[in-house]
Amino acid sequence: MKYTIQTWVNNPILRSKSVEVETIDDELQLFFLVLWKMMYANDGVGLAAPQIGNNVRVIATTQREKKSGKSKLIGETLMVNPVITDKSKEMITAEEACLSVPDVFGFVRRHKSVTVEFLDHKGHKQTKKLKDFNATIIQHEIDHLDGVLFVDKMVKEKPSKKDSRKGKEKK
Ligand SMILES: [Zn+2]
């Protein structure tokens, strides 16, 4: 099967609720590799399976450390059937961009920290607590599994100015 980046806010694949993974078989392992490859090929900081046309609850995520505006890759985590089990009351509003909605940039309000439970690529149960930018990646990607796009939650769109949009970290 050929996977391609799915775009457009009314794309039925992006708007569907993805199904839980029941078995992590060889075919799914190959899909994990495709998801990673496409995330990095498109300079994404995260990518959800429906974004490349497969409605299963799988996300590829990176963890980053922000220092004076620049972000450095400090980890990567594949999550199968991710569920947010705890979230901070404190919220943050930050700029987001999405590979599936390439022309829109804007601000979204999200929980400052989240705890997420998931299965790793071997099917082992894992728990991770993430904060700030790394927490927004998880929330953005899990929304994709539920057919939700960041534009649905956007509190303010960033005015279009081509230059300011270059090199934005897309999810
Ligand atoms: Zn996205």
Side-chain angles (χ1 to χ4, degrees), residues 20-79:
E20 284 210 359
V21 169
E22 284 176 15
T23 353
I24 300 176
D25 55 15
D26 290 352
E27 195 186 340
L28 197 61
Q29 293 284 355
L30 288 175
F31 176 74
F32 295 160
L33 299 178
V34 175
L35 191 63
W36 279 128
K37 202 175 148 192
M38 291 189 71
M39 186 194 78
Y40 284 115
N42 290 283
D43 294 322
V45 295
L47 192 63
Q51 288 185 277
I52 61 167
N54 191 357
N55 281 114
V56 291
R57 301 188 80 82
V58 176
I59 59 176
T61 68
T62 61
Q63 285 72 54
R64 291 167 184 267
E65 193 179 63
K66 284 233 173 189
K67 265 185 186 164
S68 57
K70 283 189 180 168
S71 87
K72 195 177 120 200
L73 181 68
I74 53 165
E76 46 175 42
T77 315
L78 183 106
M79 300 182 181

Side-chain angles (χ1 to χ4, degrees), residues 131-158:
K131 61 182 175 76
D132 300 320
F133 184 59
N134 295 324
T136 70
I137 295 176
I138 303 301
Q139 292 169 80
H140 179 117
E141 300 312 336
I142 291 179
D143 275 352
H144 274 303
L145 304 182
D146 294 321
V148 174
L149 298 172
F150 88 101
V151 290
D152 304 345
K153 296 186 165 179
M154 199 161 64
V155 292
K156 188 169 166 262
E157 185 171 353
K158 201 172 178 186

